[in-house]
Amino acid sequence: MRRAILAVTLGGALLTAAACGDDAPPATPSAAGAHSTPPAVAVPAESKPNYAADTRQVCGKLETIYSKDLKNFGTELGRMIALREAKQADAAEKAAKAARAQLKAVADKVRKETAAAQDPELRKAGAESAAKFAKSAQDSALLDKIKSTADLDKSLETLMTAWLTPVAGVCG
């Protein structure tokens, strides 16, 4: 699980670095245009609101949610796998329900924290991330596929990336 979280964290950092790059080529004046037109008058740019402090605060809350509540999800998921391997179907189903409940709790908390953010991009990313958590929480077939730790390794990394990528692009 640590490997999956590390992969998601590194993926988020790479996404952030890629998003910060400037794809526009540098402007170069043409030889003809440099002499024939007067220099443009600088128009004061409209200043953008600075959301940095609020974004740091909200992202810090999200980090706490991810570390605490996803850890609880992992605990229930581990319990579910152990019970399935022990052929205790009823108890394994209870653990699967508890794992889905943890995902729903994460979705609700992410939605709540990001809805109050000042940055509209963070609000949008939080809503998208929360929707992905909520969708996974409702998908009982998602956990039915996980019967062993090998199955977990195959699916968890992809899920974590999908859940966290929207917010990682803003909080990274």
Side-chain angles (χ1 to χ4, degrees):
M1 179 124 150
R2 288 182 189 190
R3 184 177 67 203
I5 292 172
L6 178 62
V8 170
T9 303
L10 291 175
L14 290 173
L15 286 172
T16 302
C20 292
D22 186 9
D23 295 334
T28 56
S30 66
H35 299 290
S36 63
T37 57
V41 176
V43 177
E46 214 175 284
S47 64
K48 287 184 167 185
N50 187 349
Y51 303 122
D54 180 69
T55 297
R56 270 192 307 277
Q57 182 180 14
V58 172
C59 290
K61 290 177 183 179
L62 291 176
E63 187 176 321
T64 301
I65 291 167
Y66 292 152
S67 63
K68 180 182 172 199
D69 292 302
L70 284 180
K71 182 178 178 183
N72 293 340
F73 166 71
T75 299
E76 292 300 333
L77 202 55
R79 183 175 296 130
M80 177 196 76
I81 291 169
L83 292 167
R84 284 184 178 166
E85 289 175 346
K87 308 290 186 212
Q88 297 179 12
D90 291 340
E93 183 56 33
K94 286 180 183 175
K97 285 181 182 177
R100 285 192 300 275
Q102 287 298 323
L103 283 181
K104 184 181 181 318
V106 170
D108 293 343
K109 289 178 180 181
V110 168
R111 188 176 292 110
K112 177 185 174 205
E113 292 300 335
T114 56
Q118 293 174 355
D119 184 352
E121 290 296 318
L122 182 52
R123 286 195 305 264
K124 179 181 173 189
E128 185 179 341
S129 182
K132 289 179 179 190
F133 277 111
K135 181 179 178 185
S136 294
Q138 294 172 352
D139 184 4
S140 60
L142 177 73
L143 298 183
D144 290 342
K145 297 175 196 172
I146 302 173
K147 302 201 183 314
S148 68
T149 54
D151 296 337
L152 179 65
D153 289 342
K154 290 177 191 173
S155 60
L156 191 60
E157 205 167 319
T158 304
L159 288 171
M160 294 286 285
T161 301
W163 294 334
L164 302 178
T165 297
V167 172
V170 180
C171 289

